[in-house]
């Protein structure tokens, strides 16, 4: 039986880079791209029109979505039986993921979804968002566990795009943490992640199409930041600290509405000789239809979500694991996400579409300490149009190294080929299709399942809640823990 696939958001750039080359490829197997749901006709989209011959060969139908969720879901309901859809691929703005995941589960579909599984518009400025995110995620997992596939006698399988769980340098970290934890029960005690990622945007460019959801109040926590939160969660469940609480504190945050007042915006604009540079005040005057956003405060508790500041651009957080309130932390996680650091951008103006990689960089520094027994230092420097470089240093306490029969210090140097991240994402999609067709064991993809996101969602929700002061939660160590470190990352070889 051919696997009929519906791709929501299939006319966009990420779909064209990752999903369509796999689904429409000669080695895709017995799969058919039955339909694309998108406001833009995929045969006319600048990102996907080159696939028109393949669309015609697959008889791919365009389902024009309006942007009204209720109407769009009703339209999808009408088409799903006619097209006999087996698989749903969700490649839409993050704030729509939950609704389409919920719909796909109710229809009995297998699902591939981009991260994060759930997000709310303007969530970083909404005091009830953290609670709602956590409750909705758990409800979604319950429905997934109770689901039944429309064609097969099994539950629906739902997987997320989380490639850092399977890339080689990160696998070495997971395995190393688990080896030492299995030997000594020493948990992770310190984790620091600093990211400089993305295309530098000026204050008058965040409202443009393709600006990664900032206009909907969804910022860097939902981009590469989510992948790094997931990486941290996966480290923690493989070397869990002794703790009953997580305490989260927001150190600093730059929102979209703050950007125009920053001195870097002004000086860099002058360096690029921008013919028209608008600071925060003149930007408002130039775009009166864009209302000035405001932060929620206790003195102003009545507000509309559309009036809240538009998303976090740069953010610095500290998470502390404690074995009781008001006690010394047993583990600390410092997270700094910056999308406006050093850039390769040389273009003074983005036109009417920010959907491109011009000037994009990805520089990451990671430090992990497992008490006095082990440390990792990772340095990654990657450009969108060139090879990247990665160095990972693992250091073991000599006594532990002797017990593990491993060297006390190992250095890994890797060259990341240009486009490697895209190829890896394509391979994840290919593997999902094999598992959906019952041609591979589900265990291969267990670390990508929706349900395996519990620890990640806990950190993500705490980060969102930190906008309103110190945020504390019970720490629920999830079922991600794997007793055999050699099985970690065995999905793709």
């Amino acid at each position: 039986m051919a696997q009929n696939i519906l791709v929501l958001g299939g006319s966009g750039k990420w779909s064209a880079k990752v999903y369509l080359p796999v689904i429409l490829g000669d080695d895709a197997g017995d799969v058919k791209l039955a339909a694309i749901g998108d406001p833009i006709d995929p045969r006319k989209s600048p990102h996907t029109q080159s696939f028109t011959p393949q669309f015609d060969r697959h008889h791919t139908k365009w389902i024009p979505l309006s942007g009204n969720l209720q109407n769009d879901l009703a339209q999808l309901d009408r088409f799903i039986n006619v097209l006999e859809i087996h698989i749903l691929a969700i490649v839409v703005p993050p704030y729509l993921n939950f609704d389409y995941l919920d719909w796909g589960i109710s229809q009995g579909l297998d699902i591939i979804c981009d991260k994060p599984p759930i997000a709310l518009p303007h969530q970083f400025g909404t005091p009830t968002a953290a609670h709602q995110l956590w409750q909705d995620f758990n409800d979604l997992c319950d429905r997934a566990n109770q689901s039944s596939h429309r064609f097969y006698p099994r539950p629906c399988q739902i997987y997320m795009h989380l490639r850092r769980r399977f890339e080689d340098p990160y696998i070495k970290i997971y395995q190393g943490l688990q080896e030492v934890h299995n030997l000594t029960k020493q948990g992770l005690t310190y984790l620091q992640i600093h990211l400089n990622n993305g295309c530098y945007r000026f204050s008058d460019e965040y409202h443009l199409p393709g600006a990664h959801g900032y206009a909907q109040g969804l910022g860097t926590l939902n981009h590469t930041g989510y992948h790094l939160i997931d990486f941290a969660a996966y480290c923690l469940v493989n070397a869990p600290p002794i703790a009953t609480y997580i305490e989260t504190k927001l150190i600093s945050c730059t929102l979209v509405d703050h950007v125009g007042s920053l001195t870097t915006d002004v000086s860099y604009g002058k360096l690029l000789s921008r013919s028209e540079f608008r600071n925060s005040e003149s930007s408002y005057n130039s775009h009166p239809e864009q209302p000035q956003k405001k932060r929620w405060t206790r003195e102003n508790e009545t507000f509309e979500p559309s009036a809240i500041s538009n998303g976090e651009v740069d953010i610095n957080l500290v998470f502390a694991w404690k074995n009781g309130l008001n006690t010394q932390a047993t583990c600390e996680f410092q997270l700094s996400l910056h999308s406006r650091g050093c850039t390769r951008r040389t273009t003074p103006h983005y036109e009417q579409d920010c959907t491109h990689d011009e000037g994009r960089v990805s520089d990451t520094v990671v430090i992990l300490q497992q008490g006095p027994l082990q440390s990792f230092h990772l340095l990654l420097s990657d450009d969108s149009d060139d090879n990247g470089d990665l160095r990972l240093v693992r250091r073991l306490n000599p006594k532990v190294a002797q017990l593990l029969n491993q060297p006390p210090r190992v250095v890994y140097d890797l060259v990341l080929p240009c486009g490697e991240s895209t190829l890896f994402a394509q391979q994840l999609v290919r593997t999902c299709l094999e598992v959906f067709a019952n041609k591979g064991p589900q265990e291969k993809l267990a670390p990508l399942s929706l349900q395996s996101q519990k620890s990640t969602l806990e950190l993500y929700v705490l980060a969102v809640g930190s906008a309103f002061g110190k945020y504390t939660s019970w720490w629920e160590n999830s079922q991600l823990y794997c007793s055999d470190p050699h099985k970690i990352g065995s999905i793709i070889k």
Side-chain angles (χ1 to χ4, degrees):
M1 178 188 297
Q3 300 278 299
N4 292 327
I5 303 175
L6 164 63
V7 180
L8 297 178
S11 300
K13 178 181 178 181
W14 188 240
S15 172
K17 288 180 66 175
V18 174
Y19 288 83
L20 298 186
V22 175
I23 298 170
L24 299 173
D26 295 334
D27 60 345
D30 197 12
V31 298
K32 176 184 176 182
L33 180 58
I36 286 178
D38 200 286
I40 301 174
D41 185 341
R43 292 173 172 84
K44 296 180 181 179
S45 166
H47 303 298
T48 59
Q49 60 185 2
S50 62
F51 291 98
T52 296
Q54 292 96 314
F55 294 151
D56 294 340
R57 191 163 59 248
H58 281 240
H59 304 287
T60 302
K61 182 175 183 59
W62 173 42
I63 303 176
L65 302 181
S66 65
N68 181 300
L69 183 65
Q70 185 175 358
N71 293 342
D72 290 340
L73 291 176
Q75 184 176 201
L76 292 172
D77 284 339
R78 292 192 292 270
F79 278 105
I80 189 170
N81 291 319
V82 175
L83 299 174
E84 295 187 337
I85 300 298
H86 297 72
I87 299 169
L88 174 65
I90 302 175
V91 202
V92 297
Y95 67 91
L96 293 172
N97 284 349
F98 170 78
D99 293 293
Y100 283 129
L101 278 166
D102 192 36
W103 176 80
I105 292 170
S106 70
Q107 295 293 339
L109 303 176
D110 289 331
I111 304 173
I112 315 172
C113 183
D114 269 32
K115 48 71 181 160
I118 183 169
L120 295 169
H122 308 285
Q123 61 188 16
F124 202 70
T126 305
T128 58
H131 176 76
Q132 184 178 343
L133 287 168
W134 185 243
Q135 180 176 324
D136 287 350
F137 172 75
N138 283 283
D139 290 346
L140 194 66
C141 288
D142 289 341
R143 290 196 285 276
N145 291 332
Q146 299 166 13
S147 66
S148 178
H149 196 277
R150 61 191 292 124
F151 293 112
Y152 304 119
R154 58 168 174 78
C156 301
Q157 300 179 62
I158 306 164
Y159 300 117
M160 309 298 301
H161 253 294
L162 299 167
R163 60 188 181 86
R164 280 172 179 77
R165 294 197 178 187
F166 295 113
E167 288 182 315
D168 185 60
Y170 301 100
I171 292 172
K172 286 182 169 59
I173 293 174
Y174 305 142
Q175 290 176 340
L177 291 172
Q178 199 172 103
E179 286 172 344
V180 172
H181 185 266
N182 287 346
L183 178 69
T184 67
K185 304 305 178 186
Q186 173 66 61
L188 193 65
T189 53
Y190 180 77
L191 172 58
Q192 181 180 12
I193 299 177
H194 176 85
L195 170 73
N196 171 37
N197 179 262
C199 301
Y200 190 103
R201 293 185 176 92
F202 289 94
S203 57
D204 56 356
E205 295 174 332
Y206 284 93
H207 68 284
L208 295 177
H212 249 59
Y214 285 107
Q216 290 79 40
L218 295 172
T220 187
L221 286 172
N222 304 278
H223 308 153
T224 303
Y226 186 86
H227 284 299
L228 294 174
I229 290 174
D230 180 69
F231 162 70
Y234 211 33
C235 289
L236 285 156
V237 297
N238 282 290
I242 298 174
T244 54
Y245 292 91
I246 312 177
E247 198 172 80
T248 310
K249 183 178 181 181
L250 177 67
I251 304 302
S252 64
C253 181
T254 301
L255 300 173
V256 169
D257 287 348
H258 301 157
V259 170
S261 62
L262 299 179
T263 57
T264 52
D265 220 34
V266 177
S267 59
Y268 192 45
K270 290 179 179 178
L271 179 66
L272 296 183
S273 302
R274 299 193 89 206
S275 57
E276 178 186 1
F277 182 77
R278 297 182 285 268
N279 59 26
S280 57
E281 181 179 357
S282 61
S283 178
Y284 171 69
N285 294 331
S286 301
H287 300 278
E289 73 282 2
Q290 299 286 331
Q292 286 288 74
K293 304 299 188 293
K294 57 186 177 183
R295 290 290 302 277
W296 178 90
T297 65
R298 298 190 185 280
E299 292 75 29
N300 178 28
E301 297 188 8
T302 303
F303 62 92
E304 292 295 326
S306 60
I308 305 167
S309 293
N310 278 347
E312 65 284 359
V313 178
D314 303 326
I315 185 169
N316 298 282
L317 293 160
V318 175
F319 302 79
W321 279 255
K322 296 185 175 183
N323 209 21
L325 293 175
N326 303 315
T327 61
Q328 184 68 26
T330 59
C331 178
E332 185 174 286
F333 170 28
Q334 298 181 3
L335 177 65
S336 296
L337 305 174
H338 294 260
S339 62
R340 288 166 47 83
C342 185
T343 178
R344 298 182 303 120
R345 173 176 175 172
T346 58
T347 304
H349 292 278
Y350 287 159
E351 299 302 328
Q352 294 303 311
D353 190 349
C354 282
T355 312
H356 50 73
D357 289 331
E358 194 266 322
R360 183 179 179 275
V361 300
S362 182
D363 295 331
T364 308
V365 178
V366 177
I367 300 172
L368 298 100
Q369 299 282 351
Q370 201 169 1
L373 306 183
Q374 180 172 223
S375 69
F376 287 94
H377 292 75
L378 182 146
L379 176 62
L380 168 66
S381 181
D382 193 16
D383 296 342
S384 60
D385 55 2
D386 199 358
N387 292 339
D389 298 291
L390 182 147
R391 167 165 282 206
L392 175 65
V393 180
R394 180 191 187 188
R395 185 184 295 278
L396 283 167
N397 176 282
K399 182 64 175 179
V400 174
Q402 183 181 17
L403 292 171
L404 291 175
N405 194 27
Q406 295 186 18
R409 184 174 180 272
V410 180
V411 179
Y412 306 94
D413 285 310
L414 299 174
V415 175
L416 306 177
C418 181
E420 181 268 347
S421 60
T422 299
L423 293 174
F424 202 96
Q426 290 177 356
Q427 184 59 51
L428 285 179
V429 173
R430 190 172 291 110
T431 304
C432 285
L433 296 181
E434 292 173 357
V435 172
F436 291 157
N438 301 315
K439 295 179 180 179
Q442 294 186 30
E443 292 75 18
K444 290 178 67 176
L445 290 173
L448 295 184
S449 70
L450 173 71
Q451 295 88 333
S452 76
Q453 284 287 281
K454 188 171 185 179
S455 288
T456 302
L457 256 292
E458 192 163 10
L459 297 184
Y460 175 75
V461 165
L462 286 168
V464 172
S466 71
F468 300 94
K470 189 180 293 185
Y471 212 78
T472 303
S473 168
W474 292 100
W475 185 43
E476 301 184 33
N477 193 15
S478 78
Q479 57 274 65
L480 284 176
Y481 186 81
C482 171
S483 60
D484 184 355
H486 298 292
K487 291 183 179 178
I488 297 175
S490 59
I491 167 181
I492 296 171
K493 295 295 182 187

